[in-house]
Amino acid sequence: MTKRLNYDYVDDSGRHRPSTGVPQGGTDSPLLFNIHLYDLDLFIHNELQKDGLNSRIPRSGEVRYKPRRRGDSKIKYLEKELTRIREHMKTGYLTLPEIWKERARRFSIMRDIRSRRKSLIKMPHADPNGRALRIFYVRYADDWILLSKANRPICERWKGMIKDYLFNELGATLADEKTHITDIREKPAHFLGFEFRQHRKGRLMYAFKGNRWRLTRSPGLLVYAFPDRQRIISRLHSKGFCEKDGFPREIPWLANLETLIIIERFNASIRGFVQYYAGFVRKSSLHRWVYILRFSCLKTIARKYRSSINKVFKRFGTNLSSSTDKTIKVTVKVTVNGVTYEKDWELLTFRRAFEAAESIGLKKKLTDRFWKFLFVRTATSMSSTVGDTPALVLRI
């Protein structure tokens, strides 16, 4: 271990060997952080929610909601009354004034049922003052994200507790400029290249009940993950794949290489990008970024031959009649001792890249490994309610 940590690094000013610490971005940095911050994980899971934060006694001025039953008995009574009126009108023994009277009463009951269902959807599922505060915490090296349904004052208190613990117990300093308390219903939280968002109105859906489709709300709120758009554009721009606004551009120095090498380099970028996000985000949210990489490759090859993208497709194009499989392919033939060997280099399409990423099953492998830990297994009961409010993103 000593030999691994005693190494030099080179920058613009020359070669250096630090007396303390390790260079940022080194392979040993995440390992050392995992060892040093293990006590922080225990503190958050065991001590953070104590100190009276989970008391079920309401504070002064707070009003407890009246607990509601599972269903609305009044709605059931009105539905039975509505069925009785319909059956009565089918008998055919009513006069015209009686028919109009029953029809008006039927419409009045239907409006009452619709109004009661809307108010039932808007009602909270439980007393917010009586629910225990729950958290969902994930750390990767020195980056954390902490999701909870607690309000902002409690999140501010948690932030102070974590800051004090890091400074007093672990000798680390919390970076206030990188620590944000965010309501993910209003603004996404950023973590490891992902954006975490949540629909403000919750999980409203139509369910087939009682021989009809009805608007219902399932318990709990889902947190959705998306690629971090601004971070991806900044990275692609810094690598030369696109402009600042995300418009694809060529990479001049790659235009000096062979066409097959250019395709292979861009395929590696497309493959790595899709494999990182596939299975964790919606498939449609990756189209834009693969489009940028593919057209950057096409523009680079067009620059190499001093032509246009249309001419590149005419020369190397394959599957030109398909909108999803249209791409370019370079075939190389080599004859050795009278035997001809042939190999194709084909620019990956979005469909092929995504199918290759799904075949690896990376999401299942990572999630299975994640849920094996005991302290995370205890958090599965909270997964349906976390994210109901602010997300606390922490960094050192």
Side-chain angles (χ1 to χ4, degrees):
M1 191 66 180
T2 304
K3 294 182 179 180
R4 289 190 61 178
L5 298 178
N6 290 334
Y7 54 82
D8 300 342
Y9 69 93
V10 180
D11 57 14
D12 296 337
S13 59
R15 182 180 295 272
H16 305 278
R17 172 169 292 188
S19 58
T20 58
V22 293
Q24 186 176 4
T27 57
D28 297 313
S29 179
L31 176 61
L32 295 177
F33 263 112
N34 285 333
I35 296 174
H36 187 62
L37 296 182
Y38 175 72
D39 291 337
L40 175 65
D41 302 338
L42 299 179
F43 171 77
I44 291 179
H45 285 289
N46 299 328
E47 303 295 333
L48 191 64
Q49 297 184 85
K50 294 183 179 180
D51 195 18
L53 290 178
N54 268 332
S55 175
R56 290 182 177 271
I57 301 176
R59 297 184 293 272
S60 60
E62 291 182 339
V63 179
R64 281 190 177 274
Y65 289 90
K66 181 180 179 181
R68 72 177 191 191
R69 286 171 290 183
R70 188 179 183 87
D72 193 341
S73 58
K74 184 65 176 179
I75 292 179
K76 295 181 180 179
Y77 168 76
L78 293 175
E79 288 177 343
K80 291 180 180 179
E81 187 70 14
L82 193 63
T83 303
R84 190 194 65 79
I85 293 175
R86 288 172 177 169
E87 295 294 333
H88 183 55
M89 294 179 64
K90 290 180 180 179
T91 58
Y93 298 105
L94 301 178
T95 63
L96 187 61
E98 292 176 340
I99 292 176
W100 285 106
K101 183 178 179 180
E102 292 292 324
R103 182 175 295 179
R105 186 161 176 261
R106 186 183 68 176
F107 288 150
S108 176
I109 293 176
M110 292 173 63
R111 286 193 296 268
D112 192 9
I113 292 176
R114 189 180 301 113
S115 176
R116 287 178 177 273
R117 284 176 179 165
K118 288 183 179 179
S119 62
L120 191 65
I121 291 174
K122 295 179 181 179
M123 288 178 62
H125 291 280
D127 181 5
N129 302 323
R131 291 181 295 175
L133 299 178
R134 293 171 177 172
I135 64 173
F136 187 82
Y137 164 78
V138 177
R139 178 177 62 83
Y140 179 80
D142 60 332
D143 292 335
W144 306 289
I145 185 169
L146 191 151
L147 300 177
S148 175
K149 63 177 183 293
N151 54 25
R152 190 175 187 87
I154 293 180
C155 289
E156 293 283 357
R157 184 174 178 181
W158 280 343
K159 177 182 174 181
M161 294 171 62
I162 295 174
K163 183 177 181 180
D164 294 341
Y165 182 83
L166 286 171
F167 185 79
N168 297 327
E169 303 295 334
L170 301 180
T173 303
L174 187 68
D176 290 328
E177 68 279 1
K178 296 181 180 179
T179 306
H180 306 283
I181 299 177
T182 306
D183 188 346
I184 58 177
R185 296 172 299 182
E186 302 287 349
K187 184 179 179 181
H190 303 273
F191 182 64
L192 300 180
F194 289 87
E195 289 183 357
F196 294 96
R197 310 178 201 166
Q198 185 183 74
H199 293 303
R200 183 167 182 81
K201 294 184 179 180
R203 300 171 60 186
L204 293 179
M205 61 182 67
Y206 281 94
F208 193 75
K209 296 181 179 180
N211 298 326
R212 70 182 69 179
W213 289 95
R214 298 179 179 178
L215 184 64
T216 61
R217 182 176 68 177
S218 60
L221 298 174
L222 283 179
V223 178
Y224 297 93
F226 296 87
D228 192 339
R229 295 167 293 178
Q230 189 57 49
R231 181 178 181 182
I232 294 175
I233 289 180
S234 299
R235 292 292 180 88
L236 293 178
H237 173 65
S238 65
K239 299 293 184 180
F241 293 112
C242 65
E243 304 289 349
K244 289 184 178 180
D245 58 354
F247 190 79
R249 59 162 299 173
E250 72 281 358
I251 302 179
W253 68 271
L254 278 180
N256 299 321
L257 303 177
E258 294 291 336
T259 306
L260 59 93
I261 298 178
I262 296 175
I263 293 176
E264 186 60 31
R265 283 179 175 265
F266 277 92
N267 280 346
S269 299
I270 295 173
R271 195 179 297 112
F273 178 85
V274 175
Q275 288 179 3
Y276 184 78
Y277 288 103
F280 302 97
V281 300
R282 294 179 179 176
K283 183 178 179 180
S284 58
S285 62
L286 301 178
H287 274 284
R288 180 186 180 186
W289 319 115
V290 177
Y291 163 81
I292 292 175
L293 294 172
R294 278 176 49 83
F295 271 80
S296 178
C297 177
L298 294 173
K299 287 188 173 184
T300 302
I301 296 176
R303 181 186 177 98
K304 174 181 178 61
Y305 293 100
R306 298 181 181 180
S307 61
S308 63
I309 293 179
N310 288 334
K311 292 182 180 180
V312 171
F313 273 112
K314 288 180 180 179
R315 182 171 180 175
F316 303 106
T318 180
N319 298 326
L320 299 181
S321 60
S322 175
S323 59
T324 57
D325 295 329
K326 180 180 178 181
T327 185
I328 60 174
K329 180 172 65 174
V330 176
T331 302
V332 177
K333 295 181 180 180
V334 179
T335 303
V336 180
N337 297 329
V339 181
T340 301
Y341 300 92
E342 182 177 318
K343 184 175 181 179
D344 297 331
W345 279 266
E346 185 174 324
L347 180 62
L348 284 175
T349 61
F350 177 79
R351 185 179 64 84
R352 288 193 57 186
F354 201 86
E355 288 177 354
E358 286 184 327
S359 64
I360 298 176
L362 184 61
K363 178 182 179 180
K364 186 177 186 306
K365 293 178 182 178
L366 294 178
T367 50
D368 290 346
R369 185 187 308 169
F370 180 78
W371 293 112
K372 285 181 180 179
F373 294 98
L374 179 61
F375 70 91
V376 178
R377 194 175 301 162
T378 60
T380 56
S381 60
M382 1 174 152
S383 58
S384 61
T385 54
V386 297
D388 197 6
T389 54
L392 183 62
V393 183
L394 305 174
R395 287 185 182 177
I396 288 185

